[in-house]
Amino acid sequence: MAFTKASVQDVLHPSKNQYINGAVYSREIGATAPDVAPDARCPFCLKLAMVPDWHQGRVQGFFHRHRGSSGTCPLVTTGVQPVGFQAESSSDLKAYSSHRDAFLEVWYHQYLAMKRQIGSLDIERFVRLVEHADILRLWAHPEFRLNDVPAVLLVLSDLLADTSDAKKPVWVRFRFAGLASSLDDLWRRKKTPALFKLSYKPRPDGRLPNYKELTDCTRVIIDWRSVPGAYGGPSQMESTAFEAAFSTAGKAEAL
C-alpha cells in the first residue's frame, strides 16, 4: 500500500488522549507484535490512520494511510488551499482596546517568536498580519489569550513562502491539531490545541502545493516570553515600520 510521503513525528495514541512519538509507540504499543499493532490517530482528522514506519525495530515516524482526498485533513487533501482556520467569532468590543494594547506591549517578542518558525518573515509581512488581525477584530474575542497570538497569526496566514534558505525555498503552513476550525473553537477550550508546522517543496510548474509536495509535519511550541535577542529591542527600521502602521511609540519595550 502506498502512503503519503510526509513523515509525522507526533501523533495521537490509538486509544488515549495524548501525543506519542515513535519511541513511545515502539516501546509501549508495537514492541510485542508490530505486524498487528494498531495505527495511531492523525492529529488533524483524528482517524486511526497513522501507520508506523518501522526501521530496525524502531518507529522512525508515521505516515497517513490514506492518499488524495477532498477533505480538510492537510496530510491527504488534494486542495492547494484546504479549508482553513475561520476568524469569525464572538465579539466583546469593550475588551478590544485592552486586548490590543496588551499585544502592542509585547509585539516585538511575539514577532521574534514567529520569525524563529519562519526565518524569512520580515517586519513588513508581520505588519500586514497584524493589520489583518485588526480587520478580523481578533482582539475583541471575549476569551482572548495573549499567549496564543503568534500561533493564531501564523495559522491565519495560511500558506507562507520561506526563503530563508535561498538554495532550498519551501512553502510553510501552520495548523492547529484536531477540529479547532475557528477562534471560538480555540478560545472556548481550556487548553490550546497543539500547533503543527507543515512544509512543502515547490512545484516545478510554479503552482501552489498540496499533500503530494508535503515533506515534513512537525509539532512546534512557540514560547514568546523567552526568545533570544528580544530584550535588546527592535531595530530602528523595525520600530519605524511598526509604529508607522500602529502608532505604538513607546510600547515596544521589553517585558
Side-chain angles (χ1 to χ4, degrees):
M1 180 181 294
F3 306 123
T4 52
K5 297 179 180 179
S7 177
V8 183
Q9 300 303 311
D10 294 290
V11 295
L12 287 167
H13 189 283
S15 59
K16 300 177 183 178
N17 189 28
Q18 66 185 49
Y19 282 93
I20 58 174
N21 55 26
V24 174
Y25 185 97
S26 303
R27 183 176 63 250
E28 298 183 5
I29 301 173
T32 56
D35 292 340
V36 296
D39 291 348
R41 286 186 292 142
C42 173
F44 302 108
C45 65
L46 308 181
K47 295 179 180 178
L48 282 165
M50 301 308 295
V51 181
D53 179 24
W54 288 94
H55 181 69
Q56 296 182 349
R58 296 180 63 85
V59 174
Q60 302 298 307
F62 299 84
F63 297 87
H64 205 289
R65 179 174 293 279
H66 306 297
R67 291 184 68 81
S69 165
S70 60
T72 60
C73 178
L75 297 182
V76 299
T77 183
T78 55
V80 296
Q81 290 182 306
V83 177
F85 193 73
Q86 304 299 309
E88 290 81 2
S89 67
S90 305
S91 293
D92 180 356
L93 296 182
K94 293 181 179 179
Y96 181 97
S97 294
S98 61
H99 290 162
R100 190 173 185 273
D101 287 347
F103 164 73
L104 293 178
E105 292 287 348
V106 298
W107 73 265
Y108 186 62
H109 294 72
Q110 298 203 346
Y111 165 58
L112 287 188
M114 293 168 62
K115 193 173 179 64
R116 293 189 75 186
Q117 298 299 327
I118 178 163
S120 60
L121 178 71
D122 57 21
I123 190 64
E124 288 78 13
R125 182 60 190 267
F126 178 70
V127 165
R128 291 197 296 271
L129 292 177
V130 178
E131 289 174 337
H132 185 52
D134 280 349
I135 294 171
L136 297 175
R137 294 186 175 180
L138 177 73
W139 329 105
H141 197 283
E143 305 298 329
F144 173 85
R145 290 201 289 261
L146 181 62
N147 285 346
D148 290 343
V149 170
V152 170
L153 292 180
L154 288 172
V155 171
L156 286 173
S157 67
D158 192 40
L159 201 60
L160 294 164
D162 188 355
T163 56
S164 52
D165 184 347
K167 295 182 179 180
K168 195 176 181 180
V170 295
W171 288 102
V172 175
R173 172 178 281 127
F174 293 84
R175 287 286 295 269
F176 287 114
L179 304 177
S181 60
S182 69
L183 284 176
D184 281 343
D185 287 342
L186 181 69
W187 281 336
R188 286 178 176 174
R189 302 180 184 207
K190 292 183 179 180
K191 187 176 180 180
T192 302
L195 179 69
F196 283 81
K197 178 181 180 179
L198 299 96
S199 300
Y200 305 79
K201 63 183 180 182
R203 290 179 54 159
D205 60 8
R207 298 176 64 185
L208 294 178
N210 64 17
Y211 82 98
K212 293 180 180 179
E213 287 73 46
L214 185 61
T215 60
D216 187 59
C217 178
T218 305
R219 187 183 179 193
V220 297
I221 297 175
I222 299 180
D223 183 4
W224 61 268
R225 294 181 179 274
S226 58
V227 181
Y231 291 91
S235 67
Q236 183 61 48
M237 181 273 292
E238 290 169 331
S239 291
T240 299
F242 196 84
E243 292 169 8
F246 304 111
S247 301
T248 60
K251 291 192 174 184
E253 294 86 354
L255 291 171

